[in-house]
Amino acid sequence: MQAGPSAAERAAVDELLGPPTSAWDGALERSEFDHRVARGGADARGDRDLLLPALHALQGAAGWISPGGMNYVCERLTVPPAEAYGVATFYAMFSVEERPPTVVHVCDDLACRRAGAETVIDRLRSDDATVVASPCLGLCERAPALLLQRAGDQVDSALAPVTDDALEGLIRDGVWGDADAGPESAPQAWEAASREGLRLLRRIGAVDPSSIDDYRAHGGYEALRLALEHGPEWTLREVTDSKLMGRGGAAFPTGVKWKAVAEQPVRPHYFVCNADESEPGTFKDRVVMEQDPFAVIEALTIAGITTGCERGYVYIRGEYPLATERLVHAIEEARRHGFLGDDVFGHGAAFDVELRRGAGAYICGEETALFNSLEGKRGEPRNKPPFPVQRGLFGKPTGINNVETLINVLELLRIGGRAYAGIGTEGSTGPRLFCLSGDVAAPGVYEHPHGVTLREVIDASGGVRDGRAPKAVLLGGAAGGFVGPDRLDVRLTFEDAREGGYTLGSGVVMVFGDSADLSDTCLRIARFFRDESCGQCVPCRVGTVRQEEALHRLVQGRTLGSRADELALLEDVARVMRDASICGLGQTAANAVQSAIASLGVFGGGEADALEGEAVPTRTEAQES
């Protein structure tokens, strides 16, 4: 507790929190009042939710969180140093060990691994760059990808795809192109013939993402106007009539959730936009936030006002610098034009939005872990009940939806809830975004109505690259499951997925051609879950480790007993994690591995007998929104 902050660290924290008011919270000189009055108690502890932004400020100022910087933040926020240390070490983007001001995070997750990430890592390390092999950066359509995390005046930036020329320019001159979402990120939206009929992506490529005037010229803020003119009851009825289901994996009815929040007598209410999509293979929310940021803010405003909230939060992945920049700008512009604030649109409703950055933790996509992170705590899930609609952020009723769910509200208000319900199928209404990556000809975000087949989705992306045959498809992400070529004609709806034992998850469709090494893919998935387990509950903390160990033994041919014994052990571990873990991360950590073994025969597994007819658990708790 003796170390003090550097001038840069102190300035960064003061810029966020304002200058200290007394020596009790870090001022360099004591005032005459400091001997008689101390700021403390509930008032000081009320700023605890600023711990994560303050740690970001330290990391950004020095490239790491020094003991002196940490002490200063603890003084300012009245947070015990042990707790602050526990929070700082929870997130992958923070370092409590000194390191260079520029660190290169190279994604070596599923899509980037297929696209040569290991070669990029070797090349950078041979040039003495400080490299961190990273889980998915959400740039799968442009694999391989990297993120430069930088201290000082420079800001974080992404580079994708990392071509030989781009890598050479980065190493030689420190020059690179930003990974803006261009035509390849949403191919349908950039082609006149295919963009006709798009609903969720209709403004992508047509609107200037930095201009609120251009957004309004393309129909922006018409849905908010309707919601304000007709009132919350009308909006809630339209959302309910639309039968919109959450797009984060849990498929919970949005109207039911909103109604539950609106009816809670306890005040205040909060509404959170979950923009922490971290599922490997998922990048749809990033593309929307980068190319249509005002739509996200408009939809969140409608959700907040309809459910009786006066404040909303966008919790965005720390690895999304461009999306963060554009959302911050969108919030400022919306506030400046009267679409946020004390009198939204001149209709007397009060609602404002604050953006908070995550710092590299997959588990924070789980809604209660996200709340803890927003409150300045370790991002560990909470037990349920109570559910967030009763006791969520700051212990108050809270609604939460992800980006895709929210922007669907704009479309259903535009065409009417009943008309929206006519799109798709009876049990799965509306359009859906799918993230195509891996061995497809044209990776990117694609929009289709529910009911489209897996084959049609893959064909729309140009089919398997180079005309190769598909070996497998990972549906729903790492927490989803593999299906083989024999199941390409399955319909992509919630009801078909439940009946067929697969999951739509977060809309991931990652295709593996006939040359893919699925054993290596399963090992990477197992490593991902072992790394990302928060460690709070034993089944997940131990089970993810045991799963990875068993897979390594199978690959190396050094099994404990027979191969069948190892496969039986893996099944037991999967069952325990599924039945006894607190949240969806542990409950789904074995899904992909088990499906690869059972339906594809990876690691010498049997035929599709173990999972056939048995519903694959979906992330009913994780990525709840």
Side-chain angles (χ1 to χ4, degrees):
M1 289 297 295
Q2 300 302 314
S6 68
E9 291 169 329
R10 178 181 287 273
V13 174
D14 289 351
E15 182 178 357
L16 173 73
L17 303 178
T21 56
S22 76
W24 292 95
D25 63 349
L28 295 175
E29 297 181 1
R30 291 184 179 276
S31 71
E32 58 178 309
F33 298 106
D34 286 346
H35 299 289
R36 302 193 297 274
V37 179
R39 176 177 175 270
D43 180 46
R45 291 192 295 274
D47 292 335
R48 170 64 183 261
D49 66 294
L50 294 175
L51 178 57
L52 198 62
L55 294 176
H56 267 300
L58 289 176
Q59 181 74 39
W64 69 297
I65 299 172
S66 71
M70 179 91 78
N71 288 341
Y72 185 58
V73 166
C74 291
E75 283 182 342
R76 296 297 313 273
L77 299 177
T78 321
V79 176
E83 289 189 24
Y85 183 84
V87 172
T89 54
F90 186 83
Y91 298 94
M93 293 183 71
F94 293 149
S95 174
V96 294
E97 303 290 334
E98 188 169 5
R99 65 185 191 186
T102 297
V103 174
V104 187
H105 297 258
V106 180
C107 176
D108 75 338
D109 220 308
L110 304 179
C112 289
R113 197 173 184 82
R114 289 284 295 158
E118 291 186 348
T119 302
V120 175
I121 292 173
D122 291 342
R123 177 72 179 85
L124 286 167
R125 283 180 173 161
S126 70
D127 199 63
D128 296 328
T130 302
V131 178
V132 175
S134 167
C136 184
L137 292 173
L139 290 160
C140 312
E141 85 281 18
R142 296 177 163 203
L146 60 79
L147 173 74
L148 288 106
Q149 187 181 14
R150 298 179 294 184
D153 296 334
Q154 301 184 95
V155 296
D156 295 350
S157 181
L159 172 62
V162 186
T163 62
D164 289 341
D165 288 345
L167 191 59
E168 188 62 29
L170 173 64
I171 293 171
R172 186 183 61 247
D173 306 320
V175 176
W176 59 94
D178 201 359
D180 193 355
E184 58 266 50
S185 292
Q188 288 172 307
W190 296 79
E191 296 179 6
S194 59
R195 71 174 297 122
E196 187 176 350
L198 293 180
R199 298 178 182 277
L200 306 180
L201 300 178
R202 63 193 173 92
R203 277 187 290 266
I204 304 290
V207 67
D208 177 356
S210 66
S211 170
I212 194 169
D213 293 333
D214 200 25
Y215 176 67
R216 296 188 69 185
H218 286 81
Y221 282 108
E222 280 303 302
L224 177 59
R225 182 184 61 78
L226 287 171
L228 289 170
E229 287 180 354
H230 292 282
E233 291 186 3
W234 174 85
T235 306
L236 193 54
R237 187 168 59 250
E238 293 297 317
V239 174
T240 303
D241 288 347
S242 74
K243 302 180 183 177
L244 171 64
M245 312 283 270
R247 303 297 199 241
F252 193 83
T254 303
V256 173
K257 180 183 288 188
W258 286 24
K259 184 171 185 288
V261 177
E263 291 179 344
Q264 294 298 316
V266 177
R267 298 286 168 170
H269 297 175
Y270 296 103
F271 211 101
V272 177
C273 171
N274 184 347
D276 192 49
E277 60 170 5
S278 304
E279 183 77 32
T282 310
F283 49 89
K284 57 187 172 58
D285 289 352
R286 174 185 59 78
V287 172
V288 171
M289 290 186 288
E290 289 179 352
Q291 293 300 309
D292 201 7
F294 290 101
V296 181
I297 303 306
E298 180 187 1
L300 177 57
T301 305
I302 293 170
I305 291 175
T306 303
T307 54
C309 307
E310 293 186 352
R311 176 160 289 274
Y313 290 89
V314 178
Y315 185 94
I316 189 170
R317 282 196 75 178
E319 296 91 339
Y320 283 179
L322 183 61
T324 300
E325 175 189 330
R326 290 188 172 170
L327 281 178
V328 168
H329 175 72
I331 292 169
E332 291 171 349
E333 283 291 280
R335 199 174 288 143
R336 193 167 69 85
H337 285 76
F339 299 124
L340 290 174
D342 295 333
D343 184 17
V344 175
F345 231 142
H347 281 259
F351 186 75
D352 212 337
V353 173
E354 186 174 340
L355 183 141
R356 294 287 179 89
R357 286 180 67 201
Y362 168 77
I363 190 61
C364 288
E366 198 277 341
E367 56 190 10
T368 60
L370 187 156
F371 297 154
N372 277 342
S373 183
L374 273 174
E375 293 176 9
K377 303 169 185 171
R378 291 166 63 88
E380 295 173 340
R382 304 171 183 172
N383 284 314
K384 301 174 191 173
F387 295 99
V389 296
Q390 304 160 314
R391 187 176 173 83
L393 183 63
F394 304 123
K396 303 299 182 183
T398 303
I400 179 168
N401 286 126
N402 72 356
V403 170
E404 184 186 351
T405 307
L406 286 173
I407 63 169
N408 267 276
V409 173
L410 303 182
E411 180 64 11
L412 74 87
L413 292 183
R414 186 176 76 89
I415 65 175
R418 293 186 184 280
Y420 179 94
I423 303 169
T425 67
E426 176 65 23
S428 304
T429 63
R432 179 81 195 240
L433 299 181
F434 294 96
C435 307
L436 273 291
S437 66
D439 296 331
V440 293
V445 177
Y446 288 82
E447 178 183 326
H448 297 283
H450 274 116
V452 66
T453 68
L454 179 56
R455 185 187 303 278
E456 290 169 337
V457 169
I458 294 173
D459 286 348
S461 68
V464 183
R465 185 179 296 139
D466 300 327
R468 305 293 293 266
K471 188 174 191 176
V473 179
L474 181 62
L475 260 181
F482 288 97
V483 297
D486 58 321
R487 306 192 74 183
L488 293 182
D489 292 315
V490 297
R491 290 200 316 166
L492 300 182
T493 68
F494 297 120
E495 59 271 26
D496 285 283
R498 281 192 295 270
E499 185 177 344
Y502 54 96
T503 175
L504 303 186
S506 54
V508 170
V509 179
M510 189 175 292
V511 178
F512 294 85
D514 54 10
S515 65
D517 180 352
L518 295 183
S519 297
D520 180 74
T521 301
C522 288
L523 275 172
R524 183 63 187 91
I525 291 173
R527 176 156 63 92
F528 172 80
F529 281 109
R530 186 254 296 159
D531 282 343
E532 297 296 335
S533 173
C534 75
Q536 184 179 203
C537 69
V538 174
C540 177
R541 182 177 70 240
V542 177
T544 52
V545 174
R546 295 291 175 260
Q547 175 176 254
E548 186 186 14
E549 290 174 347
L551 293 180
H552 275 295
R553 290 194 296 269
L554 283 165
V555 169
Q556 296 166 359
R558 302 171 62 181
T559 57
L560 298 177
S562 67
R563 181 170 291 270
D565 291 336
E566 291 283 19
L567 294 178
L569 173 63
L570 278 168
E571 193 170 335
D572 283 346
V573 170
R575 184 177 298 110
V576 170
M577 287 196 289
R578 183 171 61 239
D579 293 346
S581 296
I582 289 176
C583 79
L585 187 150
Q587 292 164 8
T588 60
N591 276 0
V593 171
Q594 287 294 298
S595 65
I597 292 171
S599 62
L600 301 175
V602 181
F603 302 110
E607 296 300 321
D609 53 0
L611 292 179
E612 188 69 34
E614 177 183 344
V616 176
T618 60
R619 295 184 305 162
T620 51
E621 302 298 331
Q623 310 287 351
E624 179 72 24
S625 55

